[in-house]
Amino acid sequence: MNPKKITIQDIADCANVSKSTVSRVLNNTTPVNDKKREAVLKAVKDLDFEPNSLASGLAGGNSMIIGVQTQKIGSPFYDLVTRGVIHCLTDTRYSPILVDGVWDKEIELKGIDTLLRRQIDGLIIIGGDIEKEQLLHLAAKKPLLLVGREVEGLQDRCLYVDNFDIGYQATKFLIELGHRQIVHITGIKSHQDSVRRLNGYLHALEEAKIPYDADLVYEGAFDGPSGVKAIDTVISRGKKFTAVFAANDMSAFGARLALYRHGIDVPDEVSLIGIDDQTEAPYMTPPMTSVRQPAFQMGVAAGNAMLDLLMNKEFELPKPSVQISVRESTAKVEK
Amino acid sequence: MNPKKITIQDIADCANVSKSTVSRVLNNTTPVNDKKREAVLKAVKDLDFEPNSLASGLAGGNSMIIGVQTQKIGSPFYDLVTRGVIHCLTDTRYSPILVDGVWDKEIELKGIDTLLRRQIDGLIIIGGDIEKEQLLHLAAKKPLLLVGREVEGLQDRCLYVDNFDIGYQATKFLIELGHRQIVHITGIKSHQDSVRRLNGYLHALEEAKIPYDADLVYEGAFDGPSGVKAIDTVISRGKKFTAVFAANDMSAFGARLALYRHGIDVPDEVSLIGIDDQTEAPYMTPPMTSVRQPAFQMGVAAGNAMLDLLMNKEFELPKPSVQISVRESTAKVEK
DNA sequence: CGGCGTCTTGAAACCGTTTTCATAAATATA
DNA sequence: TATATTTATGAAAACGGTTTCAAGACGCCG
């Protein structure tokens, strides 16, 4: 299976120079006589030489690998960020290694360990539950960037959207359309994000002097089935409502289906807004209004920031702004 | 940033044994005196030692990395396969490195090169356009698995669904519901898959003695906008049709939206079937019928097969079966 | 023409492991 | 009890690069 590996030594022999010179030519680290340089280059071509990254990583001290930890592979938002990172790293000399933390502190730490063993040059953690102290400790030994988290003491390393604001804006948007009975389907309550979005919702209600009704809030799980269940439950509670704000698009899709089942028209009877602005949102019937998070761009930004960080360049993480993609699932409330 | 790396030598010193013994303890490769073993283990704990994978990869000859090449990160099917692979590798000693080939022969080869440089122990290529000869050549030097491709000479290394059959089954399903004017929105025509699905469609028509009408076929691009355009186009051609078979769910979603815009009821006036059975399909209104490809499971299967392959165990790739998730976007044709 | 700084180059040390090899100790065999 | 095996262990040689170091070649100046 392995015919025989060509090493830098073979090139050296073939080009009648020393290993050192070959290395120098390959990395452009020191000027080399043109004739020798070309001899080396020719030998590289002729022998079809591929440098061994493990060896150069070991010798040079940098693996050219960036560790990326995501959560529950398959979640629209986190996947999209991850894709952004990977996309950004393509065409650089760095490669990403992915680990999934599945929102479980212990597994996350194990994953980080794996990455550290692999001598990653930098680490991008997307979401997750790892404690502040551990992150600080980690940041002390590896270039670290956090996406979708806000950690005290690491502000300049955090790239996140203001989830409170997302919840607030979405709710306010509905209120301004005249809605006052607004169902909120929350995310998984152990996630910071869910709580912040809920708080944003509460704040918007308060600001509009709309009394809070616990029966209108349902604890979902960021997925379709919980969206369905949410609507079924609220209806079975005998509650009237004219709008639904779901903590992400998947649960909004679930809600959409449940409303359809109950023969409730969207948006004539009930308005519906989600979060994420997934690719599919514009293709719902009617096209669904959603709060857009620039997830992919955030991934790219994190990737670029990491590259800068690794080159000791100044960098600044953008503060992504939240926009509502207004479509046809939301409408003014009928009087 | 790097206080001081603990190496195997430090452990050896601390435990009063040689490096060799430490290595042996760590890898359980040779029996070691219990006392020494424990001394080593204690030292590892005390000093918080993390072995350097680059070094062990170099010395031991296996990097414990599996290269995964996917195409156009963000495509539902390919992403899902990739996720399956990654999921399967979690909790093994292997880590995945991802590269995106973006369906471009040259970029794909460059990506493979990167992976080879990194001394991957195995390679899983999902989709892509790399020529048969190159793949054979590749398979000769690295354990190789192909997902979503069928390559002569590497049959036992290929995991794919029969795309002809998918096209055939989907079309036949519609025909059996009584449809005879069936629009087909194809995928990107340079992809093998698209052509096979189209051929399956043609075959089903032929079998049912339905004359082929080129005006009912629209070349799409596996995405939402092309689905919309397809319907608009066919309608503008003045064509009557009672069913639409889209080459994937995203284009089916586009078609769904276009039908909605044109005030055409699904499924009363037009039936709609897609391929992929994306997470979102059951939440369309009405829930969409789709041909299910077990993409995630295929990824897992590929991962497992790779693990077997690496341990020189026998393995067999499943021949994934195609099922139609029948929902409410398809109905018997009205007489 | 001798001395000095610069530039190019090869030899050798190093990166942190694994693995081979030889040796010393322990056990089994005769 | 002497000899043949087996076992545990350390020293040293890989693995395939990068980087330090010193030396040789070269040009420049006085």
Side-chain angles (χ1 to χ4, degrees), chain B residues 18 20-21 24 31-33 36 58-59:
Chain B
S18 70
S20 329
T21 302
R24 293 195 255 256
V32 163
N33 178 296
K36 301 202 176 185
L58 180 59

Side-chain angles (χ1 to χ4, degrees), chain B residues 52-74:
Chain B
N52 180 329
S53 316
L54 295 183
S56 54
L58 180 59
N62 34 23
S63 61
M64 293 298 174
I65 292 181
I66 293 188
V68 180
Q69 177 165 75
T70 181
Q71 309 299 332
K72 280 252 175 75
I73 278 195

Side-chain angles (χ1 to χ4, degrees), chain A residues 235-270:
Chain A
I235 288 178
S236 75
R237 284 174 185 156
K239 284 291 165 180
K240 289 267 175 258
F241 58 93
T242 65
V244 175
F245 159 40
N248 77 341
D249 279 352
M250 273 314 301
S251 56
F253 295 161
R256 174 71 190 92
L257 177 61
L259 292 168
Y260 170 80
R261 294 290 188 219
H262 287 280
I264 298 172
D265 189 85
V266 173
D268 288 353
E269 295 174 74
V270 164

Side-chain angles (χ1 to χ4, degrees), chain A residues 66-69 85 122-126 143-147 302-303 306:
Chain A
I66 294 188
V68 181
Q69 177 165 75
V85 173
L123 175 57
I124 299 180
I125 300 182
I126 309 172
L144 173 68
L145 248 34
L146 295 163
V147 182
M306 179 53 76

